[in-house]
Amino acid sequence: MEFFELTLGQLLDNMASAYPDHPALIYSDRDLRYTYSELNQRVTKLAKGLHSLGVRRGDHIAIWATNVPDWLVFMFAAGRIGAVVVTINTNYRPLELDYVLRQSDTRLLVLIDGFRDINYVQTMYELVPELTTCPKGELSSSRFPCLKAVVYLGHKEHRGMLKIDELFELGETMSDDLAAVQNSLDCHDVVNMQYTSGTTGFPKGVMLTHYNLVNNGYAIGERQKFTCQDRVCLPVPLFHCFGITLGTMAAFTHGAAIVPLEQFDPLMVLAVVQKERCTALYGVPTMFIEELRHPMFNMFDLSSLRTGIMAGSPCPEPIMREVMTRMHCPEITSVYGLTEASPGITQTCTEDPPEVRAATVGKPLPGVEVKIIDPETGAAVAAGTPGELCSRGYNTMKGYYKMPEETAKAIDADGWLHTGDIAVLDPDGNYRITGRLKDMIIRAGENIYPKELEDFLYTIPGIKDVQVVGVPSLKYGEEVAAYVQLKNGTNLEASEIQDYCRRRIARYKVPKYVFFVDSFPVTANGKVQKYKLREDAIARLKANS
């Protein structure tokens, strides 16, 4: 595979030169369309505005928004001047946002009104009361000393917040040569930081470079045989690598168009695919199931579809076959990876049989080495023997932001990234994920680390001890189950614990099941046997079904 030494700004310049009139970004419901040339011009204007505001190489810009039209404009504008985009989960609540803004040293925050029941604007006023008195772009916050500006993605006035139109106006005052600024950058500079929860309970900022994203995206697009004629329906969030790399970079490195949805809605997906004649569709298995099972499914013409990606959790083979036939996606692929790997490590091929695409995660992407090791000895194991999957290559992150010890745990001295996933190599060279060394739960593509959730649940008055495990779910892959020990004399209902969580943490982390127990199963040395809790949860749910 050819490797590109390009920054995001240079990539967009190249595409605007090669495909000036080709569609790049389409918001079907708004009838908003940018060609590559138009998108490049908008990115340039915003980059000038950010530079005029004082944003410089290495500064951190956080985006807290759904897939709104200017999300990607900010991403590429930041890349054009050397800033780093910090992606913030749209489900985050004040506690989680507070941590990320402080740990990431965010200089500028971009936000929308809110998402679901979370009011982003009000949250910021609560966390940063100085917004009501400081001039726009000159914020001085005791809680967030690095934060200097908040930008609202909209036309309403909010005290202390800049509007995006004001950034475009600021850009007209830029005296520096933007081309010179862009050409001074290095493609191995960090351009994106994504936060992934850790077993320590503290989310870690994964530092990804222009080189990581551009080349991983190109390889993923090649596996789908993308050309400039493809249109990718993208209902997955841009704050994930799924949206940025597997989606945007895979398309933009091939001159293809992306058709994002601001948030997932199965009916909207079907309508957009038909209206825009999309050739590729992305999603976690849950999304595809909701589309297939929608009562209006048969009303839509999906015959334009050819390929796409199903990732985030294992897909039942019958669903994979339905996607290939009823959704006209004979060349649908699956990708395995993790944020620390940009994220793609392996991917199935468009010509693989359905059982391979459903039961395996394919072969390594070009330029990525994969091995399976014995977790105890570190020695490589033979094909057919389960062990921890490790990868090495151009796609490996630079590290965790300000966490050198955690970085050293994840990437060994020889450059191997330890995924924590248990895998088996089959005789045909395909990898199959069979389990996890870590206790991580994956619910509808969202990573949930039990230690982080346990630490939070300990803050509930009356809880003496708690253990969190994942249990199988047909709809979401896994659901969260919490085993709770109460302090003597305390009475708590499961609904009270769930309500406490809903008000303070992201919705997807809230335990679906709460079981009250007097003790946990432990080993001889006192270590909790989580696999026994998981077995118990499965048995309880089966008995109640």
Side-chain angles (χ1 to χ4, degrees):
M1 183 184 104
E2 179 185 1
F3 288 91
F4 303 100
E5 298 212 345
L6 296 171
T7 64
L8 296 195
Q10 290 168 334
L11 170 68
L12 192 56
D13 282 342
N14 288 356
M15 292 299 107
S17 176
Y19 308 104
D21 300 321
H22 274 244
L25 187 58
I26 300 169
Y27 280 83
S28 189
D29 58 331
R30 296 182 180 220
D31 206 25
L32 177 65
R33 299 160 192 276
Y34 292 126
T35 64
Y36 271 100
S37 177
E38 290 166 341
L39 179 61
N40 198 35
Q41 290 169 19
R42 190 166 180 82
V43 165
T44 298
K45 288 178 183 177
L46 185 57
K48 288 180 177 180
L50 290 170
H51 196 272
S52 297
L53 192 63
V55 178
R56 295 292 183 267
R57 182 176 183 172
D59 284 342
H60 291 179
I61 297 174
I63 303 179
W64 196 24
T66 53
N67 297 358
V68 293
D70 280 319
W71 202 110
L72 287 172
V73 177
F74 265 98
M75 177 85 187
F76 279 88
R80 179 150 284 171
I81 58 175
V84 179
V85 165
V86 178
T87 54
I88 298 180
N89 193 310
T90 53
N91 291 292
Y92 273 5
R93 292 187 180 273
L95 189 72
E96 296 146 320
L97 177 69
D98 178 285
Y99 172 82
V100 169
L101 290 181
R102 284 187 291 106
Q103 204 280 333
S104 66
D105 298 322
T106 288
R107 187 186 193 284
L108 182 145
L109 171 67
V110 181
L111 53 69
I112 58 173
D113 285 304
F115 178 58
R116 291 180 176 162
D117 61 340
I118 311 167
N119 187 317
Y120 293 178
V121 173
Q122 187 58 40
T123 296
M124 282 307 296
Y125 283 131
E126 291 170 2
L127 290 178
V128 192
E130 297 93 340
L131 269 173
T132 60
T133 55
C134 287
K136 294 180 180 181
E138 300 178 26
L139 181 61
S140 179
S141 167
S142 57
R143 192 184 193 113
F144 307 102
C146 293
L147 188 62
K148 300 302 176 189
V150 176
V151 176
Y152 172 68
L153 278 178
H155 301 293
K156 287 184 283 187
E157 290 284 350
H158 292 292
R159 187 177 295 180
M161 298 184 188
L162 287 157
K163 293 184 297 185
I164 188 170
D165 288 345
E166 291 174 298
L167 281 182
F168 286 127
E169 291 169 9
L170 264 178
E172 296 175 4
T173 68
M174 179 179 174
S175 56
D176 294 341
D177 180 359
L178 188 64
V181 172
Q182 177 170 288
N183 292 334
S184 71
L185 307 179
D186 187 326
C187 67
H188 297 288
D189 288 342
V190 175
V191 70
N192 180 214
M193 265 172 50
Q194 303 204 14
Y195 274 79
T196 179
S197 296
T199 52
T200 60
F202 296 102
K204 302 184 288 285
V206 177
M207 297 186 289
L208 302 175
T209 67
H210 300 261
Y211 193 79
N212 288 150
L213 300 184
V214 169
N215 288 289
N216 200 235
Y218 179 76
I220 288 159
E222 285 290 282
R223 281 275 166 104
Q224 296 173 87
K225 299 179 180 175
F226 277 171
T227 72
C228 62
Q229 299 303 315
D230 279 294
R231 291 188 173 195
V232 183
C233 180
L234 200 65
V236 296
L238 289 168
F239 67 77
H240 273 168
C241 274
F242 200 166
I244 289 180
T245 312
L246 278 66
T248 304
M249 297 304 162
F252 281 11
T253 51
H254 290 80
I258 61 169
V259 188
L261 272 72
E262 293 186 30
Q263 54 186 288
F264 174 70
D265 177 272
L267 185 60
M268 279 295 297
V269 170
L270 299 171
V272 163
V273 168
Q274 173 178 286
K275 180 181 175 183
E276 303 300 337
R277 307 301 294 158
C278 294
T279 59
L281 177 60
Y282 282 26
V284 297
T286 306
M287 292 179 175
F288 284 96
I289 292 169
E290 287 195 35
E291 291 150 14
L292 284 162
R293 301 293 178 260
H294 196 280
M296 296 175 68
F297 177 84
N298 290 324
M299 294 176 60
F300 293 93
D301 177 6
L302 309 180
S303 60
S304 60
L305 287 174
R306 172 184 66 83
T307 185
I309 292 177
M310 192 183 302
S313 60
C315 175
E317 187 177 329
I319 298 300
M320 180 68 78
R321 290 186 180 275
E322 274 197 85
V323 171
M324 295 175 70
T325 55
R326 295 185 64 214
M327 296 188 81
H328 303 279
C329 272
E331 298 179 8
I332 190 81
T333 68
S334 56
V335 175
Y336 164 74
L338 63 164
T339 308
E340 290 88 340
S342 302
I345 295 174
T346 68
Q347 185 175 3
T348 56
C349 297
T350 55
E351 59 270 19
D352 285 335
E355 58 271 21
V356 169
R357 284 183 259 174
T360 82
V361 291
K363 298 178 173 66
L365 290 163
V368 180
E369 298 176 79
V370 175
K371 68 175 181 178
I372 298 177
I373 65 168
D374 183 318
E376 299 296 324
T377 66
V381 300
T385 304
E388 183 184 13
L389 188 147
C390 300
S391 72
R392 182 169 67 179
Y394 71 89
N395 60 328
T396 304
M397 66 172 178
K398 270 206 167 181
Y400 297 120
Y401 184 63
K402 298 195 302 187
M403 291 185 176
E405 292 181 2
E406 293 295 324
T407 301
K409 290 177 187 176
I411 306 171
D412 66 27
D414 295 320
W416 289 98
L417 174 66
H418 291 248
T419 67
D421 289 318
I422 302 296
V424 176
L425 178 63
D426 72 16
D428 296 321
N430 294 300
Y431 288 85
R432 184 162 49 91
I433 306 300
T434 60
R436 287 188 292 277
L437 278 177
K438 306 170 185 175
D439 295 324
M440 184 175 71
I441 300 163
I442 303 180
R443 182 190 182 278
E446 295 277 14
N447 293 351
I448 303 167
Y449 284 83
K451 179 64 166 63
E452 178 190 1
L453 189 48
E454 287 161 1
D455 286 348
F456 171 75
L457 290 170
Y458 279 127
T459 67
I460 300 177
I463 288 185
K464 174 186 173 184
D465 202 356
V466 61
Q467 296 291 325
V468 169
V469 296
V471 293
S473 162
L474 262 178
K475 185 173 183 180
Y476 295 112
E478 285 185 293
E479 287 280 15
V480 177
Y483 278 79
V484 176
Q485 290 181 22
L486 296 176
K487 294 176 182 176
N488 288 337
T490 298
N491 288 310
L492 270 179
E493 298 291 331
S495 58
E496 293 178 279
I497 293 173
Q498 291 163 330
D499 287 344
Y500 183 92
C501 293
R502 287 189 191 99
R503 293 194 299 270
R504 292 168 175 85
I505 60 174
R507 185 182 294 264
Y508 65 87
K509 297 178 187 176
V510 176
K512 170 80 170 177
Y513 308 105
V514 178
F515 304 121
F516 295 100
V517 295
D518 295 324
S519 62
F520 304 128
V522 295
T523 62
N525 63 2
K527 184 178 180 181
V528 175
Q529 295 172 303
K530 287 204 169 185
Y531 74 93
K532 287 191 175 181
L533 291 178
R534 180 179 169 89
E535 290 171 357
D536 177 76
I538 293 170
R540 287 176 186 242
L541 297 175
K542 188 174 182 181
N544 292 330
S545 62

